[in-house]
Amino acid sequence: MVDCLDEAPETARQALLERVAAEIRETGEATGCCELSGRVWHALAAVPRHRFVPDEQQKWAYANTPLPIGRGQTISQPFIVALMTELLAPAPGATLLEIGTGSGYQAAVLAQLVRQVYSIERIPELARAAAQRLHELSIDNVEIRVGDGAQGWKEHAPFDGIMVTAAALTVPPALVQQLKPGGRLVIPVGESGQTQDLQVIDKDQQGAVFSRSLLPVVFVPLIQNLA
Ligand code: SAH
C-alpha cells in the first residue's frame, strides 16, 4: 500500500482522485458509468478522508483502499464511494438515505451534493463518532440515528435515493417501499466473506421495480432481523 500522507493531504487527495477517475473509466463498461463527473469529483475533493480514519491508519488515509475503523467495520474504498455516488446520481434538491454510517465519510460526500442526507448506523459508538466528525467539519445537512437500517427511516420517507454500504443477503423490502417513484437504490447483495453483487434498483413512475447487477464488490455484512 502506498503511504500517502508523506505528502500534504491536499496533494494526496488530488492523486487519489486521479486514481479513482482512472478506475471509474476502467470499469465503465460493466457499470455504465464511464467518467467521474465534475460534481462527484468536487464532492470527493471537498471531504478530508484523513479526518474519518483512526490515528493508526492515517498513513493510508488517501490510499484507494478500505480501512478499518474499529468494531470490525471499515470505511469503504474511495473508488467504491465514488462509483456508488455516481450511480445514485443525486440531484441538488434530493433527500437521500444511507444505511451503514460507519465513519460518516460516505454521508459527508453525499452531503456535498444534495439538500439532506439521513443515515442509520447500528453501532452507537460509531454513530456518535461520525456525528461528532461531521459537526467539526460544519457539515450540517446529515442526520444520523442508531437503529436497524433494513427497516429504513419511515418518518423521512420517501427518498430520492437510498445507498446501502453493507452487504445484504436479500434486498430489504422496506427500502424499496421507501423509494420515491423515479428513485434509485444502490446496494451490495450477497453473503459476506465472499464477493457480493453491486445492484442498482430503479423504481419507475408507476412504481414498478427493475434491478440489475453491475460488478462484484466486498462489503461487511448488513446485520438483518435485529430484535
Ligand atoms: N459508509 C461507511 C462504511 C460502512 S461499513 C463509511 O463511509 O465509513 C458498514 C456499516 O454498516 C458498519 O458501520 C456497520 O455497523 C453498519 N451496519 C451493519 N448492519 C446494519 C444495519 N442493519 N443497520 C444499520 N447499520 C448497519
Side-chain angles (χ1 to χ4, degrees), residues 1 24 38 47-48 61 78 100 131 148 155 184 218:
M1 215 183 322
I24 292 273
V47 181
D148 176 12
E155 293 77 3
R184 176 175 273 191
V218 179

Side-chain angles (χ1 to χ4, degrees), residues 36-187:
L36 185 62
S37 66
R39 287 184 76 226
V40 175
W41 176 292
H42 288 300
L44 292 166
V47 181
R49 191 172 187 252
H50 66 281
R51 299 284 295 272
F52 293 81
V53 307
D55 288 349
E56 62 277 15
Q57 302 294 335
Q58 282 299 312
K59 281 184 158 208
W60 298 287
Y62 292 98
N64 188 17
T65 173
L67 293 170
I69 55 170
R71 302 294 308 262
Q73 307 305 323
T74 52
I75 178 172
S76 305
Q77 181 191 7
F79 157 66
I80 292 292
V81 172
L83 176 64
M84 291 176 81
T85 305
E86 286 288 0
L87 291 170
L88 216 48
T95 299
L96 303 179
L97 175 66
E98 180 203 21
I99 309 304
T101 316
S103 68
Y105 177 71
Q106 173 74 73
V109 170
L110 293 172
Q112 309 302 310
L113 293 162
V114 299
R115 192 182 61 76
Q116 181 68 39
V117 179
Y118 294 97
S119 185
I120 307 176
E121 170 56 53
R122 60 176 280 273
I123 301 177
E125 85 189 60
L126 293 182
R128 256 197 313 275
Q132 177 64 26
R133 271 181 208 115
L134 296 173
H135 176 70
E136 285 165 11
L137 293 168
S138 303
I139 296 172
D140 57 10
N141 58 338
V142 177
E143 192 179 328
I144 297 172
R145 98 170 154 79
V146 175
D148 176 12
Q151 309 305 317
W153 196 333
K154 250 195 183 142
E155 293 77 3
H156 297 295
F159 300 98
D160 297 289
I162 301 177
M163 183 187 292
V164 182
T165 63
L169 279 177
T170 54
V171 178
L175 299 184
V176 178
Q177 276 158 19
Q178 292 178 25
L179 266 186
K180 277 186 194 167
R184 176 175 273 191
L185 168 62
V186 179
I187 179 170

